């Protein structure tokens, strides 16, 4: 990782606070990578996040000071966040809930601090918001989400959207300045002792095709449709095995369906070896109702695993022509496309090559850090 020279004489290092709320896998991995890159460039970073995210991602190990801030939005949580931001030059919120909390925390004026060049200021530090995804809500809750989105983007000096659709959404909600920032999650490779045959044997897929999906077990992921597709191929001999890595509130309902309909599906729960599991798969599947820059899509293309995905959100922008697309909610098309790939090794090989080429076009971690730091410098008057 390249680094920049230390600040000029008499000037303090930039102090940046990174704030995570719920913390999806993509946003948490990005903050970990961003923290390491900023620290390498001489930035003093504080990460405000729930304790479980620090345990999972190790922000302190990347050089950050860590302040434990629960997922709640009660007055004590907001007060803790306000205190953590009191001496910041820039505050960067990741995700809608984190952005709303920051808007409340920075709503009061922060007095008595000094900026990087020794100049006293009375107002709060600039707020940058990165939208990694959008909230999924229906009915009455969708109105509340819209209000939260407006509150978040209007409090931000700059909104960074990870897909063009999110940039347009931020502008529609009243953002003063919304820009495209296509975040790429850090590459994760299988361990040195990875053996594809053993991985497949552990899953029970030695002599049958292996289809892999990864993501939280929540309604918008489309796993109900994926189970419908699996029902369509259960009579095959051998029947492809569908494995789903992830946890969530839909687990019990999905498991009941798997057992009641005798589906060739395994729910693996939360796994630390997703890179190994994916590398062993014949096909990866992304059946979501909406995605921005899907972590699974990025990992599949980097691993040269053919991808079948719904043509939604930022997925086409992310993968280009390196995936087979199906309409969301069309189980027949999903089953037909997966089986077509499993029956066509040459097509799978072409997709694998296309995936590697597409992945090579994504911004590197270093480029992502440089883009964010340029925004910080612009907002703090150092551009």
């Amino acid at each position: 990782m390249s680094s920049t020279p230390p600040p000029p004489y008499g000037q303090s290092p930039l102090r940046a606070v990174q704030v995570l709320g719920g913390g999806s896998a993509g946003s948490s991995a990005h903050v970990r990578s961003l923290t390491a890159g900023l620290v390498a460039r001489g930035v003093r970073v504080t990460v405000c996040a729930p304790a479980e995210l620090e345990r999972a991602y190790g922000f302190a190990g990347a050089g950050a000071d860590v302040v434990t801030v629960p997922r709640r939005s009660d007055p004590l949580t907001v007060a803790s966040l306000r205190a953590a931001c009191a001496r910041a030059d820039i505050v960067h919120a990741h995700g809608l809930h984190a952005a709303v909390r920051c808007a409340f925390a920075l709503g009061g004026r922060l007095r008595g601090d000094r900026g990087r060049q020794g100049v006293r200021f009375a107002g709060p530090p600039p707020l940058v918001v990165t939208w990694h995804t959008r909230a999924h809500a229906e009915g009455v809750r969708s109105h509340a989400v819209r209000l939260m989105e407006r509150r978040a983007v209007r409090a931000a000096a700059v909104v960074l959207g990870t897909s063009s659709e999110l940039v347009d959404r931020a502008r529609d909600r009243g953002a003063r300045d919304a820009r495209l920032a296509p975040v790429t999650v850090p590459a994760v490779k299988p361990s040195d002792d990875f053996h594809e045959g053993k991985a497949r044997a552990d899953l029970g897929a030695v002599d049958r095709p292996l289809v892999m999906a990864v993501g939280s077990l929540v309604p918008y992921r489309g796993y109900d449709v994926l189970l419908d597709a699996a029902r369509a191929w259960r009579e095959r001999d051998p029947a492809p095995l569908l494995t789903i890595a992830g946890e969530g509130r839909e687990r019990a309902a999905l498991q009941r369906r798997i057992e009641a309909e005798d589906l060739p599906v395994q729910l693996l729960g939360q796994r630390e070896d997703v890179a190994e599991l994916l590398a062993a798969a014949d096909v990866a599947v992304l059946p979501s109702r909406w995605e921005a820059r899907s972590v699974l899509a990025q990992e599949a293309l980097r691993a040269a695993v053919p991808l079948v995905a719904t043509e939604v959100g930022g997925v086409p922008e992310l993968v280009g022509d390196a995936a087979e697309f199906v309409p969301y909610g069309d189980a027949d098309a999903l089953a037909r496309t997966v089986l077509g790939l499993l029956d066509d090794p040459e097509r799978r090989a072409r997709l694998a090559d296309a995936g590697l080429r597409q992945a090579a076009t994504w911004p590197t971690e270093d480029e992502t850090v440089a883009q964010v730091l340029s925004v910080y410098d612009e907002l703090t008057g150092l551009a």
Side-chain angles (χ1 to χ4, degrees), residues 43 77 89 91 109 114 117 136 153 172 180 184 194 209 240 242 259 266 275 284 297 299 314 347 351 357 375:
V43 178
T77 298
D89 297 304
V91 176
R109 299 179 71 78
R114 290 181 178 271
Q117 300 181 45
H136 300 274
V153 303
D172 182 64
L180 181 63
T184 301
F194 167 72
L242 169 64
E259 295 172 0
Q266 290 181 13
E299 292 180 341
R347 175 60 179 159
L351 275 180
R357 290 194 300 273
V375 173

PDB file of all heavy atoms in Angstrom, residues 43 77 89 91 109 114 117 136 153 172 180 184 194 209 240 242 259 266 275 284 297 299 314 347 351 357 375:
ATOM      1  N   VAL A  43      -3.332   9.205   8.302  1.00  0.00           N
ATOM      2  CA  VAL A  43      -4.591   9.684   8.863  1.00  0.00           C
ATOM      3  C   VAL A  43      -4.841   9.002  10.200  1.00  0.00           C
ATOM      4  O   VAL A  43      -4.601   7.791  10.344  1.00  0.00           O
ATOM      5  CB  VAL A  43      -5.766   9.396   7.896  1.00  0.00           C
ATOM      6  CG1 VAL A  43      -7.097   9.858   8.490  1.00  0.00           C
ATOM      7  CG2 VAL A  43      -5.515  10.055   6.545  1.00  0.00           C
ATOM      8  N   THR A  77     -26.571   6.304  23.011  1.00  0.00           N
ATOM      9  CA  THR A  77     -25.784   5.935  21.839  1.00  0.00           C
ATOM     10  C   THR A  77     -25.400   7.169  21.031  1.00  0.00           C
ATOM     11  O   THR A  77     -24.247   7.327  20.602  1.00  0.00           O
ATOM     12  CB  THR A  77     -26.572   4.951  20.952  1.00  0.00           C
ATOM     13  OG1 THR A  77     -26.826   3.747  21.687  1.00  0.00           O
ATOM     14  CG2 THR A  77     -25.796   4.611  19.689  1.00  0.00           C
ATOM     15  N   ASP A  89     -11.939  15.859  12.149  1.00  0.00           N
ATOM     16  CA  ASP A  89     -11.929  16.778  11.006  1.00  0.00           C
ATOM     17  C   ASP A  89     -12.973  16.359   9.977  1.00  0.00           C
ATOM     18  O   ASP A  89     -13.458  17.185   9.204  1.00  0.00           O
ATOM     19  CB  ASP A  89     -10.547  16.788  10.348  1.00  0.00           C
ATOM     20  CG  ASP A  89      -9.467  17.288  11.274  1.00  0.00           C
ATOM     21  OD1 ASP A  89      -9.601  18.416  11.793  1.00  0.00           O
ATOM     22  OD2 ASP A  89      -8.491  16.541  11.503  1.00  0.00           O
ATOM     23  N   VAL A  91     -16.219  13.176   9.376  1.00  0.00           N
ATOM     24  CA  VAL A  91     -16.970  12.014   9.854  1.00  0.00           C
ATOM     25  C   VAL A  91     -17.541  11.313   8.631  1.00  0.00           C
ATOM     26  O   VAL A  91     -18.120  11.951   7.747  1.00  0.00           O
ATOM     27  CB  VAL A  91     -18.097  12.427  10.819  1.00  0.00           C
ATOM     28  CG1 VAL A  91     -18.932  11.201  11.230  1.00  0.00           C
ATOM     29  CG2 VAL A  91     -17.517  13.111  12.059  1.00  0.00           C
ATOM     30  N   ARG A 109     -23.760  21.911  17.902  1.00  0.00           N
ATOM     31  CA  ARG A 109     -22.508  22.536  17.499  1.00  0.00           C
ATOM     32  C   ARG A 109     -21.382  22.088  18.410  1.00  0.00           C
ATOM     33  O   ARG A 109     -21.536  22.038  19.629  1.00  0.00           O
ATOM     34  CB  ARG A 109     -22.650  24.054  17.515  1.00  0.00           C
ATOM     35  CG  ARG A 109     -23.726  24.536  16.549  1.00  0.00           C
ATOM     36  CD  ARG A 109     -23.873  26.049  16.583  1.00  0.00           C
ATOM     37  NE  ARG A 109     -22.743  26.724  15.979  1.00  0.00           N
ATOM     38  CZ  ARG A 109     -22.546  26.841  14.664  1.00  0.00           C
ATOM     39  NH1 ARG A 109     -23.386  26.306  13.826  1.00  0.00           N
ATOM     40  NH2 ARG A 109     -21.503  27.497  14.190  1.00  0.00           N
ATOM     41  N   ARG A 114      -9.962  22.568  17.840  1.00  0.00           N
ATOM     42  CA  ARG A 114      -9.128  23.243  16.853  1.00  0.00           C
ATOM     43  C   ARG A 114      -9.012  22.380  15.603  1.00  0.00           C
ATOM     44  O   ARG A 114      -8.909  21.167  15.685  1.00  0.00           O
ATOM     45  CB  ARG A 114      -7.721  23.509  17.416  1.00  0.00           C
ATOM     46  CG  ARG A 114      -7.695  24.575  18.498  1.00  0.00           C
ATOM     47  CD  ARG A 114      -6.289  24.821  19.001  1.00  0.00           C
ATOM     48  NE  ARG A 114      -6.283  25.879  19.987  1.00  0.00           N
ATOM     49  CZ  ARG A 114      -6.132  27.172  19.689  1.00  0.00           C
ATOM     50  NH1 ARG A 114      -5.998  27.539  18.434  1.00  0.00           N
ATOM     51  NH2 ARG A 114      -6.124  28.091  20.639  1.00  0.00           N
ATOM     52  N   GLN A 117      -5.165  23.178  11.146  1.00  0.00           N
ATOM     53  CA  GLN A 117      -4.200  24.267  11.001  1.00  0.00           C
ATOM     54  C   GLN A 117      -4.290  25.251  12.172  1.00  0.00           C
ATOM     55  O   GLN A 117      -3.869  26.388  12.074  1.00  0.00           O
ATOM     56  CB  GLN A 117      -4.441  24.989   9.678  1.00  0.00           C
ATOM     57  CG  GLN A 117      -4.275  24.036   8.483  1.00  0.00           C
ATOM     58  CD  GLN A 117      -4.489  24.722   7.160  1.00  0.00           C
ATOM     59  OE1 GLN A 117      -3.982  25.811   6.942  1.00  0.00           O
ATOM     60  NE2 GLN A 117      -5.220  24.084   6.268  1.00  0.00           N
ATOM     61  N   HIS A 136     -34.639  -2.142   2.534  1.00  0.00           N
ATOM     62  CA  HIS A 136     -35.742  -2.873   1.910  1.00  0.00           C
ATOM     63  C   HIS A 136     -36.941  -2.820   2.846  1.00  0.00           C
ATOM     64  O   HIS A 136     -36.943  -3.412   3.923  1.00  0.00           O
ATOM     65  CB  HIS A 136     -35.339  -4.323   1.634  1.00  0.00           C
ATOM     66  CG  HIS A 136     -34.157  -4.424   0.714  1.00  0.00           C
ATOM     67  ND1 HIS A 136     -34.276  -4.424  -0.653  1.00  0.00           N
ATOM     68  CD2 HIS A 136     -32.830  -4.485   0.987  1.00  0.00           C
ATOM     69  CE1 HIS A 136     -33.077  -4.488  -1.198  1.00  0.00           C
ATOM     70  NE2 HIS A 136     -32.185  -4.542  -0.230  1.00  0.00           N
ATOM     71  N   VAL A 153     -29.135  12.111   3.708  1.00  0.00           N
ATOM     72  CA  VAL A 153     -28.417  12.729   2.593  1.00  0.00           C
ATOM     73  C   VAL A 153     -28.377  14.248   2.712  1.00  0.00           C
ATOM     74  O   VAL A 153     -27.421  14.888   2.247  1.00  0.00           O
ATOM     75  CB  VAL A 153     -29.012  12.305   1.231  1.00  0.00           C
ATOM     76  CG1 VAL A 153     -28.990  10.794   1.081  1.00  0.00           C
ATOM     77  CG2 VAL A 153     -30.409  12.854   1.020  1.00  0.00           C
ATOM     78  N   ASP A 172     -32.349  12.217  -5.694  1.00  0.00           N
ATOM     79  CA  ASP A 172     -33.800  12.317  -5.600  1.00  0.00           C
ATOM     80  C   ASP A 172     -34.243  12.653  -4.174  1.00  0.00           C
ATOM     81  O   ASP A 172     -35.259  13.314  -3.977  1.00  0.00           O
ATOM     82  CB  ASP A 172     -34.444  10.998  -6.047  1.00  0.00           C
ATOM     83  CG  ASP A 172     -35.959  11.044  -6.009  1.00  0.00           C
ATOM     84  OD1 ASP A 172     -36.538  11.849  -6.767  1.00  0.00           O
ATOM     85  OD2 ASP A 172     -36.565  10.294  -5.215  1.00  0.00           O
ATOM     86  N   LEU A 180     -20.532   8.886  -7.684  1.00  0.00           N
ATOM     87  CA  LEU A 180     -20.333   7.447  -7.813  1.00  0.00           C
ATOM     88  C   LEU A 180     -19.014   7.054  -7.175  1.00  0.00           C
ATOM     89  O   LEU A 180     -17.971   7.655  -7.445  1.00  0.00           O
ATOM     90  CB  LEU A 180     -20.342   7.045  -9.288  1.00  0.00           C
ATOM     91  CG  LEU A 180     -20.178   5.556  -9.590  1.00  0.00           C
ATOM     92  CD1 LEU A 180     -21.352   4.754  -9.026  1.00  0.00           C
ATOM     93  CD2 LEU A 180     -20.061   5.328 -11.103  1.00  0.00           C
ATOM     94  N   THR A 184     -14.911  -1.722  -4.066  1.00  0.00           N
ATOM     95  CA  THR A 184     -14.577  -3.125  -4.301  1.00  0.00           C
ATOM     96  C   THR A 184     -14.138  -3.740  -2.983  1.00  0.00           C
ATOM     97  O   THR A 184     -13.252  -3.215  -2.315  1.00  0.00           O
ATOM     98  CB  THR A 184     -13.439  -3.258  -5.328  1.00  0.00           C
ATOM     99  OG1 THR A 184     -13.851  -2.644  -6.552  1.00  0.00           O
ATOM    100  CG2 THR A 184     -13.112  -4.718  -5.586  1.00  0.00           C
ATOM    101  N   PHE A 194      -6.287 -25.586   0.938  1.00  0.00           N
ATOM    102  CA  PHE A 194      -7.562 -25.866   0.291  1.00  0.00           C
ATOM    103  C   PHE A 194      -7.430 -27.003  -0.715  1.00  0.00           C
ATOM    104  O   PHE A 194      -6.491 -27.041  -1.506  1.00  0.00           O
ATOM    105  CB  PHE A 194      -8.084 -24.616  -0.422  1.00  0.00           C
ATOM    106  CG  PHE A 194      -9.230 -24.884  -1.364  1.00  0.00           C
ATOM    107  CD1 PHE A 194     -10.483 -25.197  -0.869  1.00  0.00           C
ATOM    108  CD2 PHE A 194      -9.042 -24.832  -2.740  1.00  0.00           C
ATOM    109  CE1 PHE A 194     -11.545 -25.438  -1.739  1.00  0.00           C
ATOM    110  CE2 PHE A 194     -10.095 -25.073  -3.614  1.00  0.00           C
ATOM    111  CZ  PHE A 194     -11.349 -25.375  -3.105  1.00  0.00           C
ATOM    112  N   PRO A 209     -23.395 -32.161  -9.172  1.00  0.00           N
ATOM    113  CA  PRO A 209     -23.068 -30.738  -9.326  1.00  0.00           C
ATOM    114  C   PRO A 209     -23.308 -29.969  -8.026  1.00  0.00           C
ATOM    115  O   PRO A 209     -24.197 -30.308  -7.242  1.00  0.00           O
ATOM    116  CB  PRO A 209     -24.021 -30.274 -10.427  1.00  0.00           C
ATOM    117  CG  PRO A 209     -24.449 -31.519 -11.140  1.00  0.00           C
ATOM    118  CD  PRO A 209     -24.462 -32.593 -10.099  1.00  0.00           C
ATOM    119  N   PRO A 240     -28.501 -31.747  -8.640  1.00  0.00           N
ATOM    120  CA  PRO A 240     -27.538 -30.748  -8.155  1.00  0.00           C
ATOM    121  C   PRO A 240     -27.815 -30.412  -6.688  1.00  0.00           C
ATOM    122  O   PRO A 240     -28.969 -30.338  -6.258  1.00  0.00           O
ATOM    123  CB  PRO A 240     -27.801 -29.539  -9.062  1.00  0.00           C
ATOM    124  CG  PRO A 240     -28.438 -30.107 -10.290  1.00  0.00           C
ATOM    125  CD  PRO A 240     -29.248 -31.276  -9.824  1.00  0.00           C
ATOM    126  N   LEU A 242     -27.740 -27.686  -3.837  1.00  0.00           N
ATOM    127  CA  LEU A 242     -27.695 -26.251  -3.588  1.00  0.00           C
ATOM    128  C   LEU A 242     -27.300 -26.018  -2.138  1.00  0.00           C
ATOM    129  O   LEU A 242     -27.939 -26.523  -1.219  1.00  0.00           O
ATOM    130  CB  LEU A 242     -29.072 -25.618  -3.863  1.00  0.00           C
ATOM    131  CG  LEU A 242     -29.256 -24.172  -3.394  1.00  0.00           C
ATOM    132  CD1 LEU A 242     -28.308 -23.237  -4.134  1.00  0.00           C
ATOM    133  CD2 LEU A 242     -30.714 -23.739  -3.589  1.00  0.00           C
ATOM    134  N   GLU A 259     -37.300 -29.546   4.156  1.00  0.00           N
ATOM    135  CA  GLU A 259     -37.673 -30.857   4.688  1.00  0.00           C
ATOM    136  C   GLU A 259     -39.016 -31.333   4.149  1.00  0.00           C
ATOM    137  O   GLU A 259     -39.171 -32.508   3.790  1.00  0.00           O
ATOM    138  CB  GLU A 259     -37.698 -30.792   6.213  1.00  0.00           C
ATOM    139  CG  GLU A 259     -36.318 -30.539   6.819  1.00  0.00           C
ATOM    140  CD  GLU A 259     -36.363 -30.287   8.311  1.00  0.00           C
ATOM    141  OE1 GLU A 259     -37.479 -30.313   8.884  1.00  0.00           O
ATOM    142  OE2 GLU A 259     -35.289 -30.067   8.914  1.00  0.00           O
ATOM    143  N   GLN A 266     -28.930 -27.469   1.238  1.00  0.00           N
ATOM    144  CA  GLN A 266     -28.339 -27.412   2.578  1.00  0.00           C
ATOM    145  C   GLN A 266     -28.192 -25.960   3.006  1.00  0.00           C
ATOM    146  O   GLN A 266     -27.634 -25.148   2.256  1.00  0.00           O
ATOM    147  CB  GLN A 266     -26.954 -28.059   2.605  1.00  0.00           C
ATOM    148  CG  GLN A 266     -26.930 -29.558   2.457  1.00  0.00           C
ATOM    149  CD  GLN A 266     -25.502 -30.097   2.535  1.00  0.00           C
ATOM    150  OE1 GLN A 266     -24.574 -29.397   2.933  1.00  0.00           O
ATOM    151  NE2 GLN A 266     -25.332 -31.353   2.147  1.00  0.00           N
ATOM    152  N   ALA A 275     -14.766 -18.566   0.884  1.00  0.00           N
ATOM    153  CA  ALA A 275     -13.875 -18.583  -0.280  1.00  0.00           C
ATOM    154  C   ALA A 275     -13.612 -20.016  -0.738  1.00  0.00           C
ATOM    155  O   ALA A 275     -13.601 -20.305  -1.941  1.00  0.00           O
ATOM    156  CB  ALA A 275     -12.556 -17.885   0.062  1.00  0.00           C
ATOM    157  N   ALA A 284     -22.384 -20.317  -9.150  1.00  0.00           N
ATOM    158  CA  ALA A 284     -22.850 -19.461  -8.059  1.00  0.00           C
ATOM    159  C   ALA A 284     -24.159 -18.802  -8.488  1.00  0.00           C
ATOM    160  O   ALA A 284     -24.362 -18.500  -9.669  1.00  0.00           O
ATOM    161  CB  ALA A 284     -21.812 -18.393  -7.726  1.00  0.00           C
ATOM    162  N   ALA A 297     -21.212 -11.661  -5.945  1.00  0.00           N
ATOM    163  CA  ALA A 297     -20.868 -11.493  -7.356  1.00  0.00           C
ATOM    164  C   ALA A 297     -19.377 -11.198  -7.517  1.00  0.00           C
ATOM    165  O   ALA A 297     -18.711 -11.761  -8.399  1.00  0.00           O
ATOM    166  CB  ALA A 297     -21.705 -10.376  -7.970  1.00  0.00           C
ATOM    167  N   GLU A 299     -16.910 -11.994  -5.431  1.00  0.00           N
ATOM    168  CA  GLU A 299     -16.113 -13.164  -5.070  1.00  0.00           C
ATOM    169  C   GLU A 299     -16.213 -14.252  -6.130  1.00  0.00           C
ATOM    170  O   GLU A 299     -15.226 -14.932  -6.420  1.00  0.00           O
ATOM    171  CB  GLU A 299     -16.549 -13.679  -3.707  1.00  0.00           C
ATOM    172  CG  GLU A 299     -16.199 -12.716  -2.573  1.00  0.00           C
ATOM    173  CD  GLU A 299     -16.632 -13.224  -1.222  1.00  0.00           C
ATOM    174  OE1 GLU A 299     -17.505 -14.118  -1.160  1.00  0.00           O
ATOM    175  OE2 GLU A 299     -16.112 -12.721  -0.202  1.00  0.00           O
ATOM    176  N   GLY A 314     -27.559  -2.659  -9.106  1.00  0.00           N
ATOM    177  CA  GLY A 314     -26.234  -2.405  -9.648  1.00  0.00           C
ATOM    178  C   GLY A 314     -25.528  -3.641 -10.163  1.00  0.00           C
ATOM    179  O   GLY A 314     -24.354  -3.558 -10.534  1.00  0.00           O
ATOM    180  N   ARG A 347     -19.510 -23.275 -21.980  1.00  0.00           N
ATOM    181  CA  ARG A 347     -20.107 -22.001 -21.591  1.00  0.00           C
ATOM    182  C   ARG A 347     -19.625 -21.593 -20.202  1.00  0.00           C
ATOM    183  O   ARG A 347     -19.333 -20.420 -19.958  1.00  0.00           O
ATOM    184  CB  ARG A 347     -21.639 -22.118 -21.616  1.00  0.00           C
ATOM    185  CG  ARG A 347     -22.385 -20.883 -21.114  1.00  0.00           C
ATOM    186  CD  ARG A 347     -22.064 -19.654 -21.924  1.00  0.00           C
ATOM    187  NE  ARG A 347     -22.790 -18.474 -21.466  1.00  0.00           N
ATOM    188  CZ  ARG A 347     -22.426 -17.227 -21.705  1.00  0.00           C
ATOM    189  NH1 ARG A 347     -21.315 -16.982 -22.386  1.00  0.00           N
ATOM    190  NH2 ARG A 347     -23.130 -16.213 -21.263  1.00  0.00           N
ATOM    191  N   LEU A 351     -17.602 -18.088 -19.306  1.00  0.00           N
ATOM    192  CA  LEU A 351     -18.039 -17.176 -18.258  1.00  0.00           C
ATOM    193  C   LEU A 351     -16.948 -16.972 -17.209  1.00  0.00           C
ATOM    194  O   LEU A 351     -16.764 -15.870 -16.693  1.00  0.00           O
ATOM    195  CB  LEU A 351     -19.313 -17.703 -17.581  1.00  0.00           C
ATOM    196  CG  LEU A 351     -20.646 -17.365 -18.238  1.00  0.00           C
ATOM    197  CD1 LEU A 351     -21.784 -17.971 -17.421  1.00  0.00           C
ATOM    198  CD2 LEU A 351     -20.838 -15.863 -18.384  1.00  0.00           C
ATOM    199  N   ARG A 357     -11.744 -11.214 -16.396  1.00  0.00           N
ATOM    200  CA  ARG A 357     -11.490  -9.968 -17.121  1.00  0.00           C
ATOM    201  C   ARG A 357     -12.296  -8.818 -16.515  1.00  0.00           C
ATOM    202  O   ARG A 357     -11.788  -7.703 -16.359  1.00  0.00           O
ATOM    203  CB  ARG A 357     -11.838 -10.128 -18.607  1.00  0.00           C
ATOM    204  CG  ARG A 357     -10.885 -11.041 -19.378  1.00  0.00           C
ATOM    205  CD  ARG A 357     -11.081 -10.882 -20.874  1.00  0.00           C
ATOM    206  NE  ARG A 357     -12.439 -11.213 -21.297  1.00  0.00           N
ATOM    207  CZ  ARG A 357     -12.845 -12.435 -21.618  1.00  0.00           C
ATOM    208  NH1 ARG A 357     -11.984 -13.455 -21.575  1.00  0.00           N
ATOM    209  NH2 ARG A 357     -14.080 -12.658 -22.007  1.00  0.00           N
ATOM    210  N   VAL A 375     -11.800  13.223  -1.348  1.00  0.00           N
ATOM    211  CA  VAL A 375     -13.026  13.870  -0.871  1.00  0.00           C
ATOM    212  C   VAL A 375     -12.783  14.511   0.491  1.00  0.00           C
ATOM    213  O   VAL A 375     -13.189  15.652   0.745  1.00  0.00           O
ATOM    214  CB  VAL A 375     -14.176  12.849  -0.789  1.00  0.00           C
ATOM    215  CG1 VAL A 375     -15.411  13.470  -0.129  1.00  0.00           C
ATOM    216  CG2 VAL A 375     -14.538  12.331  -2.178  1.00  0.00           C
TER     217      VAL A 375
END
